Amino acid sequence: MTVDVRQLQNAQPARLHAAADAYDSLGRANGEHFEAVKEAVRWISHGGNWTGTAAEAATNRLNRTNAKLDGSHTAMQAMGVLLREAADAFELAQSKLLDAIDEAIHAGFTVSDDGAITYPPAAAADRHDPDYDAPKRAKSLADRINRALAEANSADQAVASRLKKITEGADAGYGVSPGAAGTDLNAAKDLGRQLTAAGWPPPDASAVQVHDWWEGLSQAEQQKIVSQHPDLVGNRDGIPCVARDQANRILLPRLIEQYRGKPQLSDEERAKLAGFENIQKRLDGGFEDGGRPGTDPPLFLMGIGDQGQGRAILSWGNPDTAKHVSALVPGLNSDLAGAGAGDASTALRIRQSADQAATANGGSPDNASIFWLGYDAPQLDGASVLTKDRAVEGAAGYDQFLTGLRGTHEGVPAHVTSIGHSYGSLLVGQAARRPGGLPADDVILVGSPGVGTDSASKLGVGADHVYVGAAKADPVAGAPSRGLLIPGVAAYDSLTNPDGSWFGTDPASSSFGGQRFSVADGTFSDSHDNYFGKNGKGGDSLGNIGRIVSGNPQLITRQEGR
């Protein structure tokens, strides 16, 4: 049977919630009986004076009964979960249908039971009006109605199939065994996630499409998805910052519990757990420089995950409302443990510097500073830092993230600055060279071993919007051309490109064409880490970065290219 417009329009999913509540009550009652029988078995085995063949037979019978009670308790849970997920799926599909029908009625259109839309014949004036859009609007509304019906039908078939299996198990008797009931419960939870995901834009949808879909949901629907399926929200570009933060604050403790609960952890897993714990410590106010709820600036957890070496995105301030937004990509040796600790502090100093620059130039501080660890940064324990593979792999995700920020921003578009440090500058360079370019207004490259190109003009924002900081003693920014170490590598050969760096032309060279700002020379051991004012070092570097981020690049102190 196929669900049509009138059936979905008149459906009462709330009744499924009531049925789920009833199954929950039955489950709790079975749970109480289970505990009572378990106590009886304990008394016979340990506290009573009943022994012998009869006592042994009674104990065995009670244990079998208890297993059924345990299984039926879990089976009732499975039914409650399944019915609630079905209700949620039908409510969401129904909401989309009702919104489309309401819009159609207000436009003077008619909606049939099969979802077709008709509209009055165009008047003479309409036929000559270039803005007349009834056919296009009708098609758009019909598409929305058909998508809602498709979601409802998909949910109906999936839930019916799952209910049939549970019913068959109950009729045959095996459905109340602990093992079978546990399988049913897990299957119900999995189906719930699938039903929720089915109503989402497809995985390859753009961040703008995701945002448009999200905005089409009611506030209650949005909050329900955040609380019940945070894994679908927390890392999806195009979802607003506040919703992502709420979802990720649910996910983070789950990740910590998951890793703590493993009987044995590999070195990589221990590193992830330490990183998750550090981020939680930051959110709880365990670091002196900020992060605790209720403090200014607020800290948002815009991304968290255990893919690869681990993922984390933190933002000081809400990028959806800020006038100026920066997104820092870290480089060599960056990891989850640093994300919650020193790297979060780095992003905070960038924000503070931008606020100071805005105030000094007569403006109002209105900045959001993001730390983006959305890729596997190379470590010193392998050769990954010598190739651009990880930068290429991470570039698409960074581009998508910034595109998402553009889509979720409220009001006048923000001034966006992309910042790449060390190997992270190569990732920024790769992202900037993707089709369509990087959705940023300015690019800052510091401590860069090259960005994979020979000219600032090829980064998509104009050479006058590419800013470069390179300490004289920085061994990474001063990385030699590959041709010096690998003769014959033409693209990097020092003979054909005297300004060559490890990954293309040295961004700090005059031939690259970027705007070089002044940075303290530093020493071989500390210069690479001082661009963001760590321990008060770096000279004018942090101040210059703040001026660029706050939209005051005319105030930077300059340095000649080398």
Side-chain angles (χ1 to χ4, degrees), residues 55-361:
E56 184 178 344
T59 300
N60 291 337
R61 175 61 64 88
L62 287 171
N63 280 331
R64 288 195 296 272
T65 300
N66 223 23
K68 292 181 179 179
L69 286 171
D70 185 22
S72 62
H73 165 68
T74 304
M76 298 302 173
Q77 282 185 291
M79 284 295 295
V81 169
L82 183 61
L83 292 174
R84 277 197 181 81
E85 296 295 354
D88 289 344
F90 293 141
E91 284 175 347
L92 185 56
Q94 185 184 58
S95 174
K96 294 177 181 178
L97 174 74
L98 294 177
D99 285 346
I101 290 177
D102 186 60
E103 190 173 328
I105 291 173
H106 279 84
F109 299 166
T110 300
V111 182
S112 65
D113 287 356
D114 63 359
I117 292 182
T118 57
Y119 49 91
D126 293 331
R127 289 194 294 270
H128 298 285
D129 184 353
D131 295 326
Y132 180 67
D133 66 347
K136 182 178 179 181
R137 190 175 182 186
K139 183 180 184 306
S140 175
L141 289 168
D143 289 343
R144 287 166 55 187
I145 288 173
N146 287 328
R147 284 195 297 269
L149 291 174
E151 289 174 23
N153 275 292
S154 177
D156 184 49
Q157 293 170 14
V159 171
S161 175
R162 191 72 243 163
L163 281 173
K164 181 180 180 182
K165 290 182 179 179
I166 293 176
T167 302
E168 290 172 348
D171 290 342
Y174 65 80
V176 293
S177 70
T183 298
D184 285 337
L185 178 58
N186 291 332
K189 291 178 179 178
D190 289 342
L191 179 60
R193 188 180 186 280
Q194 294 167 16
L195 292 178
T196 302
W200 279 57
D204 60 351
S206 70
V208 173
Q209 290 172 320
V210 171
H211 182 252
D212 289 344
W213 168 83
W214 180 261
E215 290 301 305
L217 302 176
S218 70
Q219 188 172 356
E221 290 166 344
Q222 292 173 354
Q223 196 56 49
K224 181 180 292 186
I225 291 175
V226 169
S227 61
Q228 295 183 358
H229 301 282
D231 54 320
L232 297 177
V233 177
N235 297 289
R236 191 72 189 263
D237 296 319
I239 301 295
C241 172
V242 171
R244 291 178 67 159
D245 177 67
Q246 291 174 346
N248 288 319
R249 287 174 186 264
I250 297 172
L251 288 175
L252 179 56
R254 293 181 183 177
L255 285 168
I256 293 173
E257 181 180 357
Q258 172 189 334
Y259 278 80
R260 284 179 178 172
K262 291 188 176 184
Q264 189 172 355
L265 295 176
S266 65
D267 290 344
E268 183 179 78
E269 289 172 331
R270 274 193 290 272
K272 289 181 184 179
L273 176 58
F276 294 140
E277 291 174 334
N278 243 13
I279 293 170
Q280 188 65 63
K281 179 180 176 182
R282 169 68 69 175
L283 297 175
D284 292 339
F287 289 89
E288 292 183 358
D289 55 344
R292 181 171 53 84
T295 57
D296 186 36
L299 181 60
F300 297 90
L301 184 59
M302 294 190 68
I304 194 70
D306 62 353
Q307 305 95 315
Q309 295 169 186
R311 303 286 185 263
I313 308 172
L314 299 105
S315 179
W316 295 98
N318 187 345
D320 292 341
T321 58
K323 182 178 180 180
H324 302 280
V325 177
S326 64
L328 167 64
V329 183
L332 179 65
N333 274 353
S334 296
D335 58 18
L336 273 182
D343 288 326
S345 297
T346 295
L348 178 58
R349 288 195 299 274
I350 293 174
R351 167 168 170 141
Q352 291 167 339
S353 179
D355 285 348
Q356 292 167 5
T359 303
N361 199 40

